[in-house]
């Protein structure tokens, strides 16, 4: 993969604007993904290429997209009890590299085994053991639907299975992890809420919003334990385009601030939410949805983004998958090809036309000059190599009017380099909550 290089760092502080940047000495190495060859990577050096599924190094699989999901989504969740090392590598060792059906089957079989273990503990009254096994089983079912196409009955069936298990596991937490549904335009936005402490004491609250491939459960395993360990209520929901909502015709929409208003309405209807300490954090596409919501809703008191998506259109225009020729698309593995098809479905474009994602993302933007609350941008060093990603972070930092703004680029040499920094959630928790604590202490 990419060659090893020495790392250095510098910090730039201007008044109360902080920029922490870890830079690579020497040349930038582009990491290829499935359907995007090393030669293609070399030709795009210095150009505006944004590959959200590139990794700093290989974890296990030769198929780059499968390796991204294994190393980031799955291994990254271990710190928050979404997986176990032995279980994850056992499943991986039985998966045919790049094969969608093999991936789906192995995670499903593992989920069934872990669920059975959890159900046995629950039947015998061992609540902690049951909780730990059931929440992990739920997430293994979630992994199993990666690369299942939405018209396949298994997609919905397995999603309802992992959601049901999360509800069951949630009731075994203390305080409980509550399953919530927020009415919105004739449907319900599903999600979760866990209060920081028992009772109705008003507490700091973090609302977590995902991006183009997420279920609410992903956001729980992303950072929920770090939130309530620091005294924060944690809340997350599926917006239109996420989870199962596209099955109801609710695909992604450029005016994400509209469903976000319903989310804020719900949060502030609760007696355990402190309205003066309400923050929202968005990853991937959520890095555009959250600041757009803050533009329109002053009830959000601080925001964080990983990373800032000032305008999704040029980012999608720079993605290798949207530039791929028919021959390149035909060369993709079944796993990678299906991942792209599901993303297309979530944006309401034909599943066999990834180039249509570019136009579908026109208008998915926000104006940093109108985001007046404190703002934090967190970007992995590897993702920051993208010229377009870097341009949008600089544009955002330049235009944000609140002096409490900060850009943190997390370092590759601490395993915190990739899109959304899913591979090192402890660093994300430190950066995010240390900053929020300081903002809310003022």
């Amino acid at each position: 993969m990419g060659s090893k290089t020495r790392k250095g760092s510098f910090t730039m502080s201007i008044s109360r604007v902080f920029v922490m940047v870890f830079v690579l000495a020497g040349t930038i190495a582009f990491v290829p993904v499935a359907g995007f060859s090393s030669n293609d990577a070399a030709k795009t050096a210095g150009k505006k290429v944004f590959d959200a599924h590139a990794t700093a190094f290989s974890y296990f699989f030769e198929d780059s997209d499968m390796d991204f999901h294994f190393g980031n989504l799955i291994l990254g969740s271990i710190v928050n009890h979404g997986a176990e090392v032995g279980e994850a590598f056992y499943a991986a060792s039985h998966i045919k590299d790049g094969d969608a059906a093999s991936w789906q089957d192995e995670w499903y079989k593992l989920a069934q085994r872990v669920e059975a273990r959890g159900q046995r503990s629950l039947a015998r009254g061992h609540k902690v053991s049951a909780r730990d096994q059931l929440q992990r089983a739920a997430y293994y079912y979630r992994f199993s639907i990666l690369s299942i196409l939405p018209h396949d009955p298994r997609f919905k069936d397995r999603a309802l299975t992992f959601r049901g298990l999360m509800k069951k596991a949630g009731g075994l937490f203390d305080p409980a992890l509550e399953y919530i549904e927020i009415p919105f335009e004739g449907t319900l936005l599903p999600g979760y809420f866990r209060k920081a402490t028992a009772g109705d004491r008003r507490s700091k609250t973090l609302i977590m919003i995902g991006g183009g491939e997420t279920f609410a459960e992903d956001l729980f395993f992303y950072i929920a334990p770090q939130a309530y360990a620091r005294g924060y209520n944690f809340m997350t929901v599926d917006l239109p385009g996420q989870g199962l909502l596209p099955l109801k015709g609710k695909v992604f929409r450029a005016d994400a601030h509209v469903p976000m208003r319903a989310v804020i309405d719900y949060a502030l209807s609760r007696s355990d939410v402190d309205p003066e300490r309400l923050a929202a954090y968005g990853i991937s596409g959520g890095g555009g949805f959250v600041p757009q919501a803050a533009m329109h809703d002053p009830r959000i008191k601080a925001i964080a983004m990983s990373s800032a998506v000032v305008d999704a259109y040029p980012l999608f225009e720079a993605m290798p998958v949207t530039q791929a020729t028919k021959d390149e698309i035909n060369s993709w593995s079944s796993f990678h090809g299906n991942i792209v098809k599901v993303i297309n479905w979530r944006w309401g474009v034909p599943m066999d036309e990834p180039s249509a994602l570019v136009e579908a993302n026109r208008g998915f933007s926000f104006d940093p000059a109108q985001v007046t609350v404190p703002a934090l941008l967190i970007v992995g060093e590897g993702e920051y190599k993208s010229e377009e990603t870097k341009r949008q972070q600089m544009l955002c930092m330049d235009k944000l009017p609140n002096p409490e703004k900060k850009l943190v680029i997390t370092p590759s040499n601490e395993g915190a380099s990739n899109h959304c920094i899913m591979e090192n959630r402890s660093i994300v928790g430190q950066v995010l909550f240390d900053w929020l604590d300081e903002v809310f202490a003022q």
Side-chain angles (χ1 to χ4, degrees), residues 258-389:
V258 177
M260 277 295 293
R261 178 169 289 277
V263 173
I264 303 303
D265 287 344
Y266 171 82
L268 293 179
S269 73
R270 298 182 60 110
S271 60
D272 46 16
V273 171
D274 183 346
E276 297 304 317
R277 296 184 295 171
L278 178 64
Y281 175 35
I283 60 170
S284 192
F289 307 151
V290 162
Q292 187 194 97
M295 279 175 52
H296 294 272
D297 198 332
R299 297 175 298 174
I300 302 173
K301 301 304 181 185
I303 63 168
M305 301 154 274
S306 183
S307 55
V309 182
V310 178
D311 188 347
Y313 181 88
L315 283 171
F316 273 80
E317 192 175 35
M319 288 182 181
V321 295
T322 64
Q323 302 172 12
T325 65
K326 285 188 176 180
D327 287 343
E328 288 170 335
I329 292 172
N330 290 335
S331 74
W332 289 348
S333 69
S334 59
F335 182 87
H336 178 58
N338 284 6
I339 291 289
V340 175
K341 288 177 180 178
V342 175
I343 293 172
N344 287 7
W345 169 73
R346 294 188 176 283
W347 259 272
V349 302
M351 287 196 291
D352 59 351
E353 295 181 23
S355 61
L357 287 168
V358 178
E359 192 59 34
N361 274 271
R362 189 181 295 276
F364 281 77
S365 61
F366 72 94
D367 181 0
Q370 296 184 47
V371 179
T372 59
V373 296
L376 171 67
L377 286 65
I378 316 173
V379 193
E381 181 182 30
E383 184 171 10
Y384 196 68
K385 295 175 189 176
S386 160
E387 180 182 338
E388 182 58 29
T389 299

Side-chain angles (χ1 to χ4, degrees), residues 120-128:
R120 287 195 297 270
S121 289
L122 185 61
R124 295 169 184 168
H126 304 300
K127 293 184 178 181
V128 173

Side-chain angles (χ1 to χ4, degrees), residues 198-214:
D200 292 330
R201 189 183 74 179
R202 288 187 170 184
S203 299
K204 301 173 289 186
T205 301
L206 179 72
I207 299 173
M208 183 86 188
I209 300 296
E213 303 172 70
T214 59

